[in-house]
Amino acid sequence: MSGLVAAHLGTIAERLFTGVMAPLVLGGAVRPGHAIGARAALALGDGERRPVDVDLAARVEVGRVRRARVLAPIDTLEPASADEWALAAALHDVLHAANPEFDAALRRGAATRILALAVETIDRVRPPSHVRAALSRHSWFARLLEVARTDTAVSWWIGSRTYLGVDPPHRLQAWPELRRVSVVATPRPLLELTPLAVDRAQLSDAVARLLTRTPLTDLSTCARQAPDFGWSEATLALVGTRAGRTLALRALERLPAAEVDAVLGRATRELLASRRGWEGPAVAVLAERALGEAERNTAQAQGARPEAAFARGLGAAAAARMLEAPEAPWSEDERRRLLAALEPATRSAAAQEARAMLAESA
């Protein structure tokens, strides 16, 4: 790599780190700049890249470890990998494409191209190859869906104006009592922004694709409004391992149980209906959630939401099958107690439907 190209990438990396990656971990204003593009995004991780601001980098690493320790007892994480630099650059360009300045007849095409290049970058990044890599990515992108633009409406005695993502001039806020100045700031999540120069469905798809590349984040935010959670190859691969399923279950425990049940019930029903034979890890998650509720004697009431009842019924049926296996590690008394706690759910109509779908997909 020539010195000129390396210097250019270094400038981009520094801007990306200070404007997007650091505030994504530590909080504060996310400030995307000019589009990065797929080629530069995929080259940012070449070699060992260290931010210029050593103090900021240290605080980011502490923030990442703190985030990771919510789910796992670790003390250190590796610096950003090439894949993490590329995903951060893709997120940067997704945010840039949503800039309201593109909402003009001659500029919408540019926003669409930027978003397409961001998707190209995302698609060229492989899902994490092991659980520690999944945890590392989550330490960067856990707050991805918290990114919002603050729109500020300023009104005064003779007019009003709304500032999209920028601070109003101080002069408009002068003499507030005399000029009857009112300032209302409204945070707007990325997928609810308006005006928008790109197609909203394409923007949502880009965010969904990004989440599949950080599957622990995908599961940790599964109760979100948009984009809808669905079992992907990456999330199934993660929960298909014992360590990955443990992290996922810890993350799910931090969310409202009824909402998680409804989301996982819908997603697992769709997975079973696809008849691809990939449902094993998803069913294992539901089974362990059901066992956890039975052990705590906190089984949820049936019949509230159909998808939630489906998840509980399927989970209870799978959990009962685990308990009845000859090699089951529970004592006889414990096994009987858990089976009794699971019985209402295993006999539900939702459980019967789930068993029928499992049989059809086998």
Side-chain angles (χ1 to χ4, degrees), residues 89-139:
L91 172 60
H92 172 283
D93 284 0
V94 168
L95 298 175
H96 186 51
N99 191 319
E101 292 183 0
F102 284 115
D103 188 40
L106 299 179
R107 303 202 67 194
R108 293 191 185 96
T112 300
R113 288 192 296 274
I114 291 168
L115 186 61
L117 287 173
V119 170
E120 179 184 335
T121 302
I122 295 166
D123 287 347
R124 292 178 65 178
V125 175
R126 294 181 180 181
S129 58
H130 49 83
V131 173
R132 192 173 181 89
L135 184 60
S136 177
R137 290 191 193 183
H138 181 62
S139 73

Side-chain angles (χ1 to χ4, degrees), residues 238-251:
L238 176 68
V239 300
T241 66
R242 176 65 270 171
R245 190 156 64 249
T246 296
L247 293 185
L249 289 167
R250 288 173 182 169

